[in-house]
């Protein structure tokens, strides 16, 4: 079945009925299904999608992708999936890209700046605000070479509020917003990269149980948020050397208010000595910049296939009506993730 017919079929269920695994297999045209003690794999010889019954974690071709709802154990159906996850997370990941990327306006957002240094490492001496600015400039140079228009929320050591960052993206008519950060944790063994996009309305952030029913500006781009976040995250190096913390979901302010599809990348932990060493090196920063730029370009190829000849944002953007809201607690401050690797979900 064509994926867009499949999307229509999910929509026809009213958006709320759970989708049995077999129905997803039928939508994708996949016949293989392998059940093990703690996992269920479906695939077609090229792609493999792994579910963990009772968990929100899933894996697409080995890359961790956190669903919005758990894959519910369902007897002979193996698992049932939330219709929203099927429609707005899983099926969009299997759209076919064009050869040429859509020419997008990409706004890069190096986090922190000025009086806000962000996370830090003492040996080697690294400040998050300096690391992510250097990365943003490297990524931007690569994207410009590939024909993208690139904007920056800052190009020097300046402090900007979170609202100013998304407002700049709106004023510049950005098609894509990519925020760059580095992590820190009390547990110095915590490691790995993670990429965040908005949770779907009515679903909790990854690793939390707090629901938010109110759609936010960032929810106007649910399908494209996932596509953008996935293609960036799968490119970022380090899976064999450190934990793949996955494509996750959080209502960080810059994601809630983003006027276009948006992702926030945590490139590694400055509190982990090995990762700080890597992040201090020019060769690793070059690899990271290649990875993020490649991810954005792959997203742009999918967007070109979605809407041929159309280079602008894929969906109209609702107004950002929640500046300074408190409904999401700690996420209002775009707070860095402090959980350790051992207590991560
Ligand atoms: Zn940060």
């Amino acid at each position: 079945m064509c994926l867009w017919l499949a999307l229509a079929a999910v929509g026809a269920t009213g958006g709320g009925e759970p989708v049995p695994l077999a129905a997803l297999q039928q939508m994708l045209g996949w016949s293989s299904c392998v059940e093990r003690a703690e996992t269920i794999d479906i695939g077609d010889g090229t792609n493999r999608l792994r579910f963990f019954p009772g968990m929100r974690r899933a894996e697409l071709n080995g890359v961790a992708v956190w669903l919005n709802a758990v894959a519910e154990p369902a007897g002979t159906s193996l698992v049932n999936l939330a219709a929203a996850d099927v429609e707005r997370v899983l099926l969009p990941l299997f759209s076919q890209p064009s050869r040429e990327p859509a020419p997008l306006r990409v706004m890069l957002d190096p986090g922190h700046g000025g009086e806000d240094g962000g996370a830090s490492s003492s040996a080697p001496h690294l400040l998050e605000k300096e690391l992510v600015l250097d990365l943003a400039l490297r990524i931007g140079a690569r994207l410009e070479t590939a024909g993208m228009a690139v904007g920056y929320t800052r190009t020097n050591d300046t402090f900007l509020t979170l609202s100013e960052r998304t407002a700049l993206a709106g004023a510049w008519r950005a098609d894509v917003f990519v925020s760059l950060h580095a992590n820190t944790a009390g547990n110095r063994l915590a490691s790995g990269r993670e990429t965040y996009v908005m949770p779907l309305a009515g679903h909790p952030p990854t690793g939390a149980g707090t629901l938010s029913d109110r759609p936010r500006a960032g929810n106007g781009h649910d399908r494209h948020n996932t596509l953008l976040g996935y293609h960036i995250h799968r490119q970022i190096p380090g899976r064999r050397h450190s934990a793949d913390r996955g494509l996750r979901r959080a209502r960080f302010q810059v994601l809630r208010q983003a006027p276009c599809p948006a992702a926030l990348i945590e490139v590694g932990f400055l509190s982990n000595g090995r990762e700080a060493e890597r992040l201090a090196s020019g060769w690793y920063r070059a690899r990271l910049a290649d990875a993020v730029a490649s991810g954005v370009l792959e997203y742009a190829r999918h967007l070109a296939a979605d809407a041929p000849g159309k280079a602008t944002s894929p969906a109209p953007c609702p107004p950002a009506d929640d500046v300074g809201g408190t409904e999401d607690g700690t996420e209002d401050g775009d707070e860095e993730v402090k959980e350790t690797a051992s207590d991560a979900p």
Side-chain angles (χ1 to χ4, degrees):
M1 185 190 296
C2 157
L3 282 182
W4 300 113
L5 288 177
L7 282 171
V10 174
T13 67
E17 293 293 319
V19 178
L21 187 63
L24 175 62
Q25 279 184 276
Q26 192 179 2
M27 291 172 198
L28 293 169
W30 293 0
S31 55
S32 165
C33 181
V34 178
E35 186 183 4
R36 295 191 179 85
E38 295 179 351
T39 61
I40 298 169
D41 290 354
I42 60 172
D44 66 349
T46 303
N47 292 297
R48 188 194 68 192
L49 196 44
R50 171 167 288 179
F51 296 100
F52 299 79
M55 294 180 66
R56 277 186 268 174
R57 184 185 174 96
E59 291 174 4
L60 173 56
N61 299 326
V63 177
V65 174
W66 291 85
L67 301 174
N68 289 267
V70 299
E72 292 285 356
T76 54
S77 295
L78 301 180
V79 290
N80 285 337
L81 302 164
D85 272 327
V86 171
E87 180 192 356
R88 280 177 271 166
V89 177
L90 296 174
L91 291 180
L93 294 178
F94 296 99
S95 63
Q96 291 299 311
S98 284
R99 286 174 64 91
E100 294 299 322
L104 300 181
R105 297 172 65 81
V106 183
M107 177 64 90
L108 298 172
D109 173 42
H112 311 278
E115 67 206 43
D116 174 12
S120 63
S121 153
S122 51
H125 175 71
L126 270 182
L127 286 177
E128 180 185 357
K129 67 174 184 177
E130 294 172 358
L131 164 66
V132 295
L133 176 57
D134 181 49
L135 281 173
L137 296 173
R138 290 170 185 257
I139 294 163
R142 286 157 171 76
L143 289 172
E144 281 180 347
T145 300
M148 303 286 124
V150 177
Y152 302 87
T153 54
R154 66 180 179 96
T155 54
N156 53 32
D157 188 15
T158 309
F159 176 80
L160 289 164
T161 66
L162 300 171
S163 294
E164 284 171 336
R165 294 167 193 267
T166 50
L168 280 170
W172 189 68
R173 293 177 291 108
D175 299 313
V176 178
F177 182 87
V178 178
S179 193
L180 297 159
H181 288 260
N183 240 324
T184 187
N187 176 358
R188 294 187 175 277
L189 296 177
S191 69
R193 75 228 157 89
E194 49 192 18
T195 303
Y196 284 89
V197 295
M198 274 288 283
L200 304 180
H203 292 274
T206 301
T210 313
L211 294 174
S212 175
D213 288 326
R214 187 152 61 100
R216 310 305 185 97
N219 285 126
H221 310 284
D222 282 335
R223 292 189 183 92
H224 292 90
N225 290 339
T226 298
L227 199 57
L228 174 68
Y230 174 75
H231 284 293
I232 291 175
H233 188 74
R234 69 187 284 268
Q235 297 283 348
I236 297 178
R239 287 211 301 283
R240 272 174 287 185
H241 306 292
S242 56
D244 176 14
R245 298 168 65 84
L247 175 62
R248 306 164 76 92
R249 293 178 181 270
R251 292 185 176 85
F252 292 138
Q253 189 173 334
V254 289
L255 299 180
R256 290 202 320 260
Q257 295 178 355
C260 54
L264 184 148
I265 308 164
E266 298 276 6
V267 295
F269 281 76
L270 290 181
S271 46
N272 178 301
R274 275 186 65 187
E275 288 205 348
E277 286 286 351
R278 265 206 300 271
L279 289 166
S281 68
W283 70 266
Y284 188 67
R285 291 184 187 190
R287 280 189 67 193
L288 272 176
D290 286 342
V292 175
S294 296
V296 171
L297 291 173
E298 184 63 13
Y299 167 76
R301 288 187 195 94
H302 283 265
L303 201 57
D306 253 16
K310 190 179 168 196
T312 52
S313 291
C317 178
D321 62 348
D322 56 355
V323 176
T326 57
E327 187 177 327
D328 294 315
T330 57
E331 290 180 1
D332 273 340
D334 198 18
E335 189 172 278
E336 301 291 58
V337 175
K338 297 294 194 296
E339 71 211 4
T340 64
S342 59
D343 63 17

